[in-house]
């Protein structure tokens, strides 16, 4: 376990909590909508921009030698050096609509893999997940672990990458897998930010999470938390998941094997 990383994680948690409190306090009481995508984007930028700048300032001060990866990773994750990947308002749509399913996330990536992650949900009782590579995972300072259960009794979660509509293979697999999984579990839900949902598998609040299409920017923080909690993390075919994978599945080990059998029916 890297004690330096745990010390850094404490500072990162303080930073994301401060930013989360600021965003929660500034969010309008009524849903923020626009007649066009452009109008909504402008309004969101007014709220998110200052928070994102504050988060970047705080994380840079904590680890000035780390560079900054784009918030939305369109290309491969840098494979050399240290990089911050952070999102001040992960779950922007839910935030603007006045829903509590959004989070502040911060991940330190080293040589292409996440080594530290913090996911904070300000309006879900202020829950804060954090993990460091090789050091386990915590929720509000307590160790967490996924829960084994019968597949038919589970609530599964899924989502789609931001640009899935431009990926016909991922789009088809998302639809086919939703039909397959809906027939195998108690319920399927999409409960907001991908990072938060994947972290919730690590704490047992959700049974499993799967997705098709490359989505490193959203999956890296939750994947580290789930893995360090003891969940099995793979791509949708059962191979090792990396930031370049085009599918994702995580669950407690025995449950993961059952979910994988369901996804193997998808072409």
């Amino acid at each position: 376990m890297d004690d330096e990383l745990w010390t850094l994680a404490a500072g990162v948690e303080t930073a994301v909590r401060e930013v989360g409190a600021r965003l929660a306090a500034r969010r309008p009481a009524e849903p923020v909508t626009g007649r066009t995508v452009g109008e909504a984007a402008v309004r969101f930028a007014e709220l998110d921009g200052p928070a994102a700048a504050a988060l970047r300032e705080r994380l840079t001060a904590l680890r000035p030698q780390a560079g900054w990866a784009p918030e939305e990773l369109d290309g491969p994750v840098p494979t050399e050096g240290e990089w911050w990947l952070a999102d001040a308002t992960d779950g922007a749509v839910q935030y603007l609509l006045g829903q509590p399913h959004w989070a502040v996330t911060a991940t330190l990536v080293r040589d292409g893999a996440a080594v530290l992650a913090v996911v904070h949900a300000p309006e879900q009782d202020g829950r804060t997940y954090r993990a460091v590579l090789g050091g386990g995972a915590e929720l509000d300072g307590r160790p967490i672990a996924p829960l084994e259960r019968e597949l038919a009794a589970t609530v599964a979660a899924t989502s789609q990458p931001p640009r899935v509509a431009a990926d016909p293979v991922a789009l088809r697999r998302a639809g086919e897998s939703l039909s397959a999984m809906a027939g195998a579990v108690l319920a399927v839900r999409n409960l907001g930010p991908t990072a938060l949902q994947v972290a919730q598998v690590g704490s047992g609040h959700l049974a499993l999470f799967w997705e098709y299409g490359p989505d490193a920017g959203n999956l890296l923080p939750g994947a580290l938390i789930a893995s360090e909690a003891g969940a099995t993390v793979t791509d949708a075919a059962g191979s090792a998941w990396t930031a370049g994978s085009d599918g994702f599945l995580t669950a407690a080990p025995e449950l993961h094997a059952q979910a994988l059998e369901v996804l193997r029916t998808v072409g």
Side-chain angles (χ1 to χ4, degrees):
M1 181 176 64
D2 192 326
D3 291 337
E4 180 188 6
L5 282 179
W6 270 120
T7 300
L8 178 60
V12 174
E13 179 174 345
T14 298
V16 299
R17 283 182 173 275
E18 290 174 357
V19 171
R22 175 177 179 170
L23 279 162
R26 293 189 63 196
R27 186 160 61 81
E30 299 297 326
V32 178
T33 60
R35 294 177 61 87
T36 68
V37 172
E39 290 177 7
V42 169
R43 186 67 181 109
F44 174 67
E46 294 172 352
L47 297 166
D48 176 74
L55 183 59
R56 182 166 185 149
E57 178 183 357
R58 285 162 173 75
L59 296 181
T60 297
L62 288 169
R63 195 77 164 186
Q65 66 268 39
W68 276 85
E71 184 176 306
E72 295 291 347
L73 283 175
D74 296 323
V77 174
T79 57
E80 295 183 358
E82 288 190 347
W83 299 84
W84 283 116
L85 177 63
D87 192 344
T89 320
D90 189 10
V93 172
Q94 291 86 355
Y95 177 82
L96 291 175
L97 291 176
Q99 298 176 4
H101 308 294
W102 60 278
V104 185
T105 69
T107 310
L108 184 65
V109 178
R110 180 184 294 163
D111 298 334
V115 297
L116 178 156
V118 177
V119 175
H120 171 56
E123 295 188 272
Q124 293 189 27
D125 298 323
R127 289 178 177 173
T128 305
Y129 291 88
R130 64 180 183 179
V132 301
L133 185 63
E138 299 177 343
L139 171 57
D140 295 335
R142 300 183 300 276
I144 57 175
L147 296 179
E148 293 283 9
R149 61 199 90 176
E150 182 180 337
L151 183 64
T154 64
V155 174
T158 189
S159 188
Q160 297 81 40
R163 293 170 181 81
V164 70
D167 186 342
V169 174
L171 192 61
R172 175 180 56 78
R173 288 175 173 169
E176 291 179 2
S177 64
L178 178 59
S179 296
M181 197 66 75
V185 301
L186 182 65
V188 176
R189 298 289 184 265
N190 184 333
L191 299 175
T194 294
L196 181 57
Q197 293 186 92
V198 176
Q200 289 173 329
V201 173
S203 61
H205 289 89
L206 286 171
L208 66 96
F209 179 94
W210 89 94
E211 185 181 85
Y212 282 97
D215 196 14
N218 290 313
L219 287 167
L220 276 165
L224 179 64
I225 292 167
S227 177
E228 288 296 326
T232 299
V233 175
T234 68
D235 68 10
S239 299
W241 182 81
T242 69
S245 297
D246 65 355
F248 181 87
L249 172 65
T250 185
E254 293 182 13
L255 184 58
H256 180 279
Q258 299 174 52
L260 191 59
E261 289 302 312
V262 175
L263 294 184
R264 282 177 175 155
T265 67
V266 177

